[in-house]
Amino acid sequence: MILTLAIIVVALTIYFFIRDIGNQQVISSRFVSFYKPFKAETIVQHEYTSKPETIWQTLIRFEDYCLWFPGINRMLPIVDNPRYVHRFSFDRFSLEPGAFIKMRPKSFLPWFKGRIVGMEPNKKLEMEMRFNPVSKERVTFEINVSPSGTSEVICQRTSRGLFSFLTIWQFADKGSSILHNLSYFLPDDREEKKGEVGASKQESVPQLNRETIIAQAVQAGLDRNMDLINAIPDKPTRGLAKAALVKAKRLGKMPDYLAEALNAGPLSSTAPAATVPISGLPAFDNHDDLIAFVVNKALDGDMDPINSIPDKPLRGKAKAAMVKAKRTGERPPMPEISQVPSPADTSPEKGSESDEEMVDRLVAAGLQGSMDEINALENKALRGKIKAAIVRAKRIKK
């Protein structure tokens, strides 16, 4: 009788196994199943670009198991608390080996009790679970870091007993997608790295004023290259560029103010130090002389000059030169210090020009993209008058 029953069980297992394999489900995970009398085992492997810490936080969020774990309808903790509202609250749940949980399968069957068998944060989680009243499974999640930098997760489910074949029943159809489903709830940590790299590159790229960007985009558009216009991230600037392109095509040439803007260079972040002196530092003809000056100061114990460089790539280059000088013991030659008058010194004194002359001068400077002196005016009414005149002048040019 027992032999006959065992033969029937094996035959049914082979039948359902072949039928499940024939479904040919499209799953990105690697999976395999093993069965022998009174023991069944399934293994699913999947690689993620997420960090092990991120995967671990998702695995211990038991309230979300019903979203990605096949066969689970709901999972709740069992908390020893006199208040009923706290007995099944994850806020009061202590995640540790021996803690009990209750799970309801996606069927007409009632709740079944399970427990956490073992755990190693960010590496391994082991649980005992029941999906039916006649068999019990041990579910193990193991997180490994691969040499390529990705995180490999292995899900192993093992059951023993006469009805252990239920573990691999419909495994290829549903159970093998467990880690495939989990991937939808994990963020791609590479996107954060790309964002950081993109931000650092953007800081090192020379910055142009708005009119120069529009002028370059219009020039490319006249050559039937719309990529530069479409790549402008700011919508108002992109709209102005397209409008300027239509006007340029109608005139047959670029407007005069755009032609002048093409000759404008980057902003002060990449301008030579001689034309725009760095605050607190002497002015030099090139960046090499500036680096040599701050490196010599740093070797003498004064780190303020090198830390006061506002441009991050230039400051990093200066610190690298300082480290090299300390390692080799060779100082760069100290450049000659030549003071360049600051914009405040070259600007006319307040008493030497009238308000009308100052307005005309600042409006002309604003049309060239220099707004520093205008924004520094303490007289709000005069500052507003100058900015209104700049807007009006730009509108007339268009």
Side-chain angles (χ1 to χ4, degrees):
M1 181 66 182
I2 297 177
L3 182 60
T4 304
L5 183 60
I7 294 175
I8 295 174
V9 169
V10 172
L12 289 174
T13 302
I14 295 173
Y15 167 74
F16 287 119
F17 178 75
I18 295 175
R19 194 187 69 172
D20 292 341
I21 291 295
N23 289 334
Q24 298 181 355
Q25 296 294 317
V26 179
I27 298 174
S28 58
S29 305
R30 299 186 300 272
F31 59 92
V32 64
S33 61
F34 305 94
Y35 178 76
K36 62 181 180 179
F38 309 111
K39 183 180 179 181
E41 182 180 3
T42 63
I43 299 175
V44 184
Q45 294 177 321
H46 196 105
E47 288 190 3
Y48 304 98
T49 56
S50 304
K51 299 177 182 178
E53 296 80 5
T54 306
I55 299 174
W56 175 259
Q57 292 299 324
T58 306
L59 289 177
I60 63 176
R61 198 176 299 119
F62 296 115
E63 60 268 28
D64 293 341
Y65 269 49
C66 59
L67 302 176
W68 57 269
F69 199 113
I72 294 181
N73 188 28
R74 192 178 182 187
M75 185 178 289
L76 293 175
I78 300 178
V79 182
D80 186 11
N81 194 290
R83 297 194 60 185
Y84 181 81
V85 294
H86 293 160
R87 291 179 185 176
F88 307 105
S89 174
F90 282 102
D91 296 335
R92 308 284 177 147
F93 181 63
S94 179
L95 184 63
E96 58 185 8
F100 288 95
I101 55 176
K102 59 184 304 185
M103 185 269 296
R104 184 173 184 179
K106 288 186 177 179
S107 62
F108 62 90
L109 297 175
W111 293 84
F112 295 106
K113 183 182 289 188
R115 66 188 178 97
I116 299 176
V117 179
M119 58 179 294
E120 188 175 355
N122 302 327
K123 291 186 178 181
K124 189 175 183 180
L125 176 63
E126 192 171 1
M127 299 178 293
E128 283 187 354
M129 306 173 65
R130 282 184 179 271
F131 292 86
N132 54 75
V134 295
S135 65
K136 180 172 58 177
E137 292 186 12
R138 175 162 292 197
V139 182
T140 304
F141 293 99
E142 187 175 353
I143 306 174
N144 300 316
V145 180
S146 63
S148 61
T150 59
S151 300
E152 182 187 48
V153 179
I154 301 175
C155 175
Q156 182 178 359
R157 299 169 64 177
T158 308
S159 64
R160 298 176 182 272
L162 182 63
F163 297 95
S164 59
F165 68 91
L166 295 175
T167 299
I168 63 173
W169 184 33
Q170 294 187 342
F171 167 70
D173 185 21
K174 297 179 180 179
S176 58
S177 63
I178 177 172
L179 297 183
H180 179 81
N181 298 338
L182 179 63
S183 62
Y184 294 107
F185 297 86
L186 295 175
D188 189 351
D189 292 333
R190 291 183 301 180
E191 297 297 331
E192 299 178 1
K193 295 180 181 179
K194 290 180 181 178
E196 295 175 359
V197 173
S200 62
K201 288 183 178 179
Q202 188 175 4
E203 292 177 355
S204 60
V205 171
Q207 297 179 359
L208 303 174
N209 58 40
R210 194 176 193 181
E211 289 186 356
T212 304
I213 295 174
I214 293 174
Q216 293 180 353
V218 170
Q219 187 181 40
L222 291 175
D223 295 334
R224 298 183 179 181
N225 182 10
M226 296 296 294
D227 294 338
L228 194 58
I229 293 181
N230 295 328
I232 299 176
D234 185 45
K235 287 185 177 181
T237 305
R238 187 165 63 248
L240 290 174
K242 291 182 178 180
L245 177 61
V246 173
K247 182 178 180 181
K249 288 182 178 180
R250 185 170 63 249
L251 296 176
K253 64 175 183 177
M254 291 186 62
D256 295 337
Y257 73 97
L258 290 181
E260 295 177 359
L262 278 176
N263 299 325
L267 297 180
S268 60
S269 60
T270 55
T275 57
V276 185
I278 298 176
S279 177
L281 294 176
F284 297 96
D285 295 335
N286 52 62
H287 286 159
D288 294 335
D289 292 341
L290 174 64
I291 292 175
F293 173 78
V294 298
V295 167
N296 279 278
K297 287 290 186 181
L299 293 176
D300 293 335
D302 185 9
M303 293 293 295
D304 292 337
I306 195 171
N307 292 328
S308 62
I309 299 177
D311 188 32
K312 287 185 178 181
L314 183 60
R315 185 168 66 247
K317 188 177 180 181
K319 290 185 177 180
M322 178 192 67
V323 173
K324 182 179 179 181
K326 286 184 177 180
R327 185 174 63 252
T328 59
E330 298 179 358
R331 285 172 172 255
M334 189 70 171
E336 295 182 0
I337 301 176
S338 59
Q339 295 292 341
V340 176
S342 62
D345 297 333
T346 57
S347 61
E349 298 181 359
K350 293 183 179 179
S352 63
E353 63 177 349
S354 62
D355 290 345
E356 294 181 358
E357 294 175 349
M358 183 174 63
V359 169
D360 295 338
R361 179 175 60 82
L362 293 180
V363 168
L367 292 175
Q368 298 297 326
S370 177
M371 299 292 294
D372 295 337
E373 190 176 354
I374 299 175
N375 295 328
L377 291 175
E378 297 181 357
N379 191 335
K380 293 184 178 180
L382 185 60
R383 186 168 68 243
K385 181 179 179 181
I386 294 172
K387 290 185 177 181
I390 293 174
V391 173
R392 187 165 53 253
K394 288 184 178 181
R395 188 182 300 116
I396 293 174
K397 282 186 177 182
K398 293 180 180 180

